[in-house]
Amino acid sequence: MLNKKDNQKLYPVDPTVPPGSIGILNGRVIDPVNGTDDRLCVAVDKGTIVSIAPELPSGFTPDTTIDAAGKWVVPGLMDMHVHLREPGREDRETIETGTRAASAGGFTAVACMPNTNPVLDEESKIRYVVQRGEPCTCRIYPIGSITKGLEGKELSPFGEMVRAGARGVSDDGKSVISSMLMKNALNYSKSFDIPVICHCEDSDLTKGAHMNESAVSTRLGMRGIPSISEEIMVARDIMLAEYTGARIHIAHVSTAGSVRIIREAKARGVNITCETCPHYFTLIDEDLIPAFDTYKKMNPPLRTAHDRDVLLEGIADGTIDIIASDHAPHVSEDKKDVEFEAASFGVIGLETSLGVVLTYLIGKKVIDPHRLVERMSCVPNRILGLSGGTLSRGADADITVIDPDARWKVDPNCMYSKSRNTAFDGFELQGYASCTISQGRIVYERGAA
Ligand SMILES: [Zn+2]
């Protein structure tokens, strides 16, 4: 056992020992891909799902059994927007600690963004991340940069990055300001059938601003980040996608206007997907008062109650395709022990994402459990062109067991991430991953004595 925190157990992966057999008994098996929603037993052997039926196969004696009565058994969750900080800022997070946090959050796969130091903008750097991820408790799919060094000047070599394992491209952290370069990137991406993941921000409109532009920023006397700084780029990138026929995915949607623009584009048949993050559909700019909590400083910023409500509508009607955490670890010197204006943008989220979704989307009946599995497993896998996100017989055994009734309080000191900058410190949540199975191995358990 790696370590134990707050009734949690995390197990290391020894790649030299092949995975054994597991029987998951009597859980509510939810697999939208196969239309499954039933009380069933799942048999796993040597890393593969071998049976899903009312009973385990006769003669199958698993090495380990999991009693999943009262729990949901779902395809392993995937978070397609995380920052693992390696290479370059291993003091904030590493591939190893970030994947432990992912396993503890119920994720069996993550896609990591390229804004590391150096930037993931060529074959060797993509290969480095893939190799570092191999012995980890969770699958890692690197995203390459759109432009070399994220400088917005010259395209990165998409082909060689894809060959090395990149599953998409993004200059996350900023927009590609030149429409010409973005158009070329979209055309180039089509040859490899990869999504271009768009961080939508007109940086002229956001310069020197640290929170949402609204009545609240006016009252606090702070320069604001206006909604249109996001919406202008959402609209431009949709127009470029429509023009080129390329596939785009819009990251961290935070405004009502973005939801409207995306909804209209989808109705026209534009080939786009998008995500929002747990903090945008739970918290608002007013939550910054009176404490100026730097742990609620992110980019895009927390918006208004109206934006939050429209995001919830977008999640309910499917305009918003997936939930991603935008897990962004920061150390105290950059985040906690500084004034609001000097603090870095970003919050961690891998270990709270599922609990927040269960509490605020399932608990408040915004979506049902099927939609949760789609938005956190099936669809992100589909967007990145991966085979995961299903419990089909013969599929790789990436499985998350969810206890929807467990009540818990978010305690940053019980987290596996190297950083502590959560926006949900002290929140009372309902539901968590009680067991995470990665490639046929139990890597994480919670709730058992
Ligand atoms: Zn990000």
Side-chain angles (χ1 to χ4, degrees):
M1 198 189 305
L2 219 45
N3 52 26
K4 184 170 167 150
K5 300 182 177 190
D6 180 35
N7 226 8
Q8 305 180 69
K9 296 178 203 165
L10 194 62
Y11 304 94
V13 167
D14 181 350
T16 62
V17 179
S21 57
I22 307 169
I24 308 167
L25 308 179
N26 301 316
R28 177 181 172 189
V29 176
I30 304 170
D31 178 12
V33 170
N34 289 305
T36 309
D37 185 353
D38 247 319
R39 185 175 305 281
L40 296 166
C41 297
V42 181
V44 170
D45 194 29
K46 299 187 185 72
T48 302
I49 296 171
V50 293
S51 158
I52 298 177
E55 306 285 338
L56 291 178
S58 62
F60 180 83
T61 317
D63 305 329
T64 314
T65 54
I66 297 166
D67 177 11
K71 296 176 182 163
W72 305 345
V73 180
V74 308
L77 304 181
M78 161 159 227
D79 189 338
M80 68 169 274
H81 189 149
V82 308
H83 298 269
L84 298 179
R85 303 301 189 206
E86 185 181 352
R89 285 306 300 262
E90 288 84 354
D91 56 327
R92 295 176 173 179
E93 193 81 282
T94 64
I95 289 171
E96 190 180 354
T97 60
T99 49
R100 285 181 198 169
S103 300
F107 296 97
T108 58
V110 297
C112 60
M113 289 295 158
N115 58 340
T116 48
N117 185 14
V119 171
L120 307 181
D121 60 3
E122 61 181 23
E123 186 176 1
S124 62
K125 293 163 189 162
I126 298 290
R127 190 150 287 149
Y128 170 82
V129 171
V130 169
Q131 281 167 357
R132 292 279 294 140
E134 265 159 20
C136 290
T137 55
C138 162
R139 294 177 200 263
I140 299 178
Y141 298 104
I143 303 299
S145 68
I146 299 173
T147 66
K148 287 184 183 165
L150 302 179
E151 287 175 353
K153 293 182 182 142
E154 197 185 338
L155 293 182
S156 304
F158 292 4
E160 67 173 59
M161 294 195 301
V162 167
R163 270 195 301 282
R167 308 304 306 209
V169 288
S170 179
D171 270 7
D172 188 41
K174 45 186 172 179
S175 281
V176 176
I177 297 298
S178 160
S179 299
M180 183 67 188
L181 195 62
M182 191 61 171
K183 173 172 159 283
N184 289 342
L186 291 172
N187 274 322
Y188 190 20
S189 73
K190 286 194 292 180
S191 329
F192 309 101
D193 192 27
I194 48 168
V196 176
I197 300 168
C198 305
H199 174 111
C200 294
E201 175 181 355
D202 182 327
S203 47
D204 275 346
L205 288 166
T206 62
K207 215 163 277 167
H210 299 274
M211 65 174 292
N212 184 46
E213 181 181 271
S214 68
V216 179
S217 64
T218 305
R219 185 152 27 121
L220 295 173
M222 294 255 275
R223 188 186 300 186
I225 298 173
S227 311
I228 51 161
S229 62
E230 174 174 316
E231 291 150 7
I232 283 170
M233 279 300 182
V234 168
R236 184 204 70 169
D237 287 350
I238 285 173
M239 291 170 84
L240 287 170
E242 198 167 8
Y243 184 74
T244 57
R247 195 152 64 87
I248 64 168
H249 174 79
I250 296 167
H252 41 54
V253 170
S254 75
T255 79
S258 296
V259 174
R260 176 180 56 76
I261 295 164
I262 293 163
R263 190 181 282 132
E264 288 166 2
K266 285 187 163 186
R268 278 204 308 283
V270 186
N271 190 6
I272 53 168
T273 53
C274 72
E275 73 194 25
T276 193
C277 313
H279 37 272
Y280 298 122
F281 60 78
T282 48
L283 305 171
I284 58 171
D285 53 2
E286 283 174 27
D287 292 323
L288 287 169
I289 307 170
F292 265 120
D293 181 0
T294 52
Y295 283 10
K296 293 191 175 68
K297 179 177 177 181
M298 55 281 277
N299 185 26
L302 297 176
R303 304 289 188 179
T304 65
H306 173 66
D307 292 300
R308 178 201 56 198
D309 293 346
V310 173
L311 284 169
L312 287 168
E313 286 168 25
I315 292 166
D317 72 12
T319 301
I320 292 174
D321 299 271
I322 69 161
I323 309 297
S325 71
D326 196 3
H327 180 79
H330 288 291
V331 289
S332 297
E333 302 90 82
D334 302 330
K335 194 64 175 168
K336 184 93 180 155
D337 308 333
V338 286
E339 290 181 359
F340 192 81
E341 270 128 318
S344 303
F345 291 100
V347 288
I348 56 170
L350 279 167
E351 291 168 84
T352 49
S353 190
L354 176 62
V356 171
V357 167
L358 287 165
T359 306
Y360 289 89
L361 298 183
I362 298 286
K364 296 186 185 301
K365 303 212 178 330
V366 177
I367 55 172
D368 64 18
H370 277 247
R371 300 284 100 81
L372 178 146
V373 176
E374 284 175 353
R375 311 263 152 94
M376 297 184 80
S377 179
C378 312
V379 180
N381 273 285
R382 200 184 310 148
I383 290 170
L384 297 182
L386 301 163
S387 60
T390 171
L391 295 176
S392 303
R393 192 144 54 93
D396 288 347
D398 286 347
I399 303 169
T400 306
V401 181
I402 295 171
D403 183 340
D405 298 320
R407 289 180 175 277
W408 61 292
K409 190 172 176 178
V410 176
D411 178 356
N413 297 314
C414 292
M415 289 183 173
Y416 289 93
S417 173
K418 221 171 187 181
S419 292
R420 295 284 169 266
N421 51 309
T422 172
F424 295 107
D425 186 0
F427 273 56
E428 308 267 357
L429 301 179
Q430 181 172 341
Y432 56 47
S434 63
C435 182
T436 308
I437 297 170
S438 174
Q439 301 175 61
R441 292 181 171 89
I442 295 173
V443 291
Y444 173 78
E445 286 180 296
R446 181 171 190 170

